Amino acid sequence: MDGRPIRKTFTAKTRTAVGAKLDAAKAAIEQGLDIPDNRTTIADFTTWWLDNVLPGEGLAPKTERWYSDILTSYVVPAVGHRKLTGPKALTPADVETMTANLDREGYSHRVADASRTALGKVLRAAEQRGLVGRNVARLAKAPRDRGKVRKVKAYTAPEVRTILDALDGTRWHPVVVVGVTTGLRPGELLALHWPDVHLEGHEPHVSVRHAITHMGGAGLKAPKRERSYRTVPLPPEAVAALKAWRKAQAAERLRAGELWTALWPHLVFTNEVGEPHRVDTFRHNLGRAVTGTHPHRLRHSYATHLLEAGAPIHHVAELLGDSVATVEQTYSHVLRAKHEVAAIASGLVSS
């Protein structure tokens, strides 16, 4: 800056319109904001945000892609034509219309809510840079949940046995045994390292410290949340499966010789040359063994059977690495209904 005043010219079809632009500029300056540029659309600013701001947010690659997908697939098509400022600026009503239309078109509540959240993050950057005076996405009402509870399908004991029989003798057999008896997320399961697996002593257990990722090549990332760092006990069946797999893996390593990768020296579940598995490879092999089988249902089965057996919900949440609220919402069909609890409580005073 050389100290000279910056001049800006406003043009419009009428004197009244020019005056409105001038008033808006004065108001922005008084609030410490930049002079509004009525030409910048939500689509323009979103593209700039994706290219210049999102990469510096320190998010996991998968999360970055999530923001990009939500914004480009749902937000920009709906409100991208609106402007950041001016007579055609985006309003809270526009955001509410966007989420309502997504609901009407059959998209889930999660998609509608994610669209509002992602737009709010973009507009927060505009707000921080003085380009807008308020974040209209956060002022808009959150989309209403249609009340549809996601049904979580758990495997019964016979169904688990069918899956294990179909996988007997394959490298996926121990993966399923450990998965269904620990409730680890598929990415956590495939990221286990032998130093995190404790098979000896009176309390065998695994320590969850990583999750596998294949965004930009195989690698490790932090678990989903801070609470996801946890210790999960191993039942005898899982201990036996892991001990047998450790021997089988050692034999594979000898056969592979120099072909065995040195990049993953302590990984538990590997392919024939010591490389990590992709989660979608896990899913594909389960589905090929028994149609409809999915890795996440192993986790759901673990949680469901613990809750049905009367395990305290806070213990189950701790073992899953989830919050109690998440477990209550996800497994509400397993928990006793409130009227049942009231009936039990009435027994304390009834004769």
Side-chain angles (χ1 to χ4, degrees):
M1 300 293 290
D2 56 10
R4 290 180 297 178
I6 297 175
R7 299 185 182 277
K8 187 171 180 64
T9 302
F10 298 97
T11 60
K13 293 182 178 180
T14 66
R15 182 182 295 273
T16 300
V18 171
K21 289 184 178 182
L22 181 59
D23 290 341
K26 289 178 178 178
I29 292 172
E30 289 174 358
Q31 298 176 47
L33 305 177
D34 289 344
I35 297 175
D37 183 352
N38 295 348
R39 296 170 299 178
T40 303
T41 65
I42 297 299
D44 294 335
F45 190 76
T46 298
T47 299
W48 177 86
W49 184 86
L50 288 170
D51 292 339
N52 298 279
V53 178
L54 182 60
E57 292 286 282
L59 302 175
K62 188 175 182 180
T63 305
E64 286 191 17
R65 188 174 67 180
W66 179 87
Y67 274 110
S68 179
D69 289 346
I70 290 293
L71 289 167
T72 57
S73 299
Y74 307 109
V75 175
V76 170
V79 298
H81 63 287
R82 303 297 289 181
K83 304 297 177 77
L84 275 180
T85 59
K88 297 182 179 180
L90 185 71
T91 66
D94 293 327
V95 179
E96 292 167 6
T97 299
M98 174 187 73
T99 56
N101 286 339
L102 288 171
D103 178 81
R104 192 178 302 110
E105 292 167 10
Y107 290 101
S108 68
H109 169 74
R110 182 176 297 182
V111 167
D113 194 47
S115 298
R116 173 177 168 269
T117 299
L119 177 58
K121 195 170 181 67
V122 171
L123 294 179
R124 181 170 178 267
E127 193 176 25
Q128 290 173 333
R129 288 160 176 79
L131 300 176
V132 296
R134 59 179 189 162
N135 189 328
V136 297
R138 295 188 177 184
L139 293 174
K141 293 180 181 178
R144 292 183 59 185
D145 193 339
R146 289 173 290 178
K148 293 183 179 180
V149 177
R150 182 166 59 96
K151 294 182 179 180
V152 178
K153 297 181 179 180
Y155 296 118
T156 64
E159 287 174 331
V160 171
R161 175 46 52 195
T162 298
I163 296 169
L164 291 175
D165 287 345
L167 295 170
D168 190 31
T170 73
R171 65 193 330 99
W172 300 106
H173 185 275
V175 183
V176 171
V177 172
V178 177
V180 80
T181 57
T182 62
L184 268 61
R185 298 178 178 91
E188 297 170 341
L189 185 63
L190 297 180
L192 281 176
H193 282 58
W194 286 114
D196 302 326
V197 178
H198 306 275
L199 302 179
E200 310 302 332
H202 298 295
E203 297 181 351
H205 64 275
V206 295
S207 298
V208 180
R209 301 191 300 122
H210 308 287
I212 202 75
T213 177
H214 281 84
M215 292 292 294
L220 297 177
K221 63 178 181 178
K224 191 172 185 180
R225 299 179 181 87
E226 186 64 30
R227 67 173 70 94
S228 297
Y229 290 94
R230 62 198 188 277
T231 297
V232 183
L234 289 170
E237 296 81 1
V239 172
L242 284 165
K243 287 183 175 180
W245 169 245
R246 188 165 56 184
K247 292 181 180 179
Q249 186 185 56
E252 278 193 341
R253 185 168 187 167
L254 285 175
R255 288 195 298 271
E258 294 182 356
L259 294 178
W260 191 270
T261 181
L263 299 176
W264 300 85
H266 304 297
L267 194 65
V268 175
F269 298 118
T270 56
N271 64 13
E272 295 84 350
V273 291
E275 298 170 336
H277 293 296
R278 299 177 64 96
V279 172
D280 54 3
T281 301
F282 182 23
R283 180 174 62 250
H284 172 74
N285 279 274
L286 287 189
R288 188 169 60 179
V290 178
T291 302
T293 307
H294 195 284
H296 276 289
R297 288 182 66 183
L298 302 176
R299 174 177 169 84
H300 295 325
S301 302
Y302 173 79
T304 298
H305 287 288
L306 287 182
L307 292 168
E308 287 180 337
I313 190 170
H314 63 281
H315 287 171
V316 176
E318 181 181 348
L319 292 170
L320 292 175
D322 275 332
S323 66
V324 171
T326 298
V327 174
E328 286 180 336
Q329 181 180 9
T330 306
Y331 301 97
S332 59
H333 62 292
V334 179
L335 304 174
R336 287 184 180 274
K338 291 182 179 179
H339 69 272
E340 292 182 26
V341 175
I344 294 171
S346 69
L348 293 172
V349 294
S350 61
S351 56

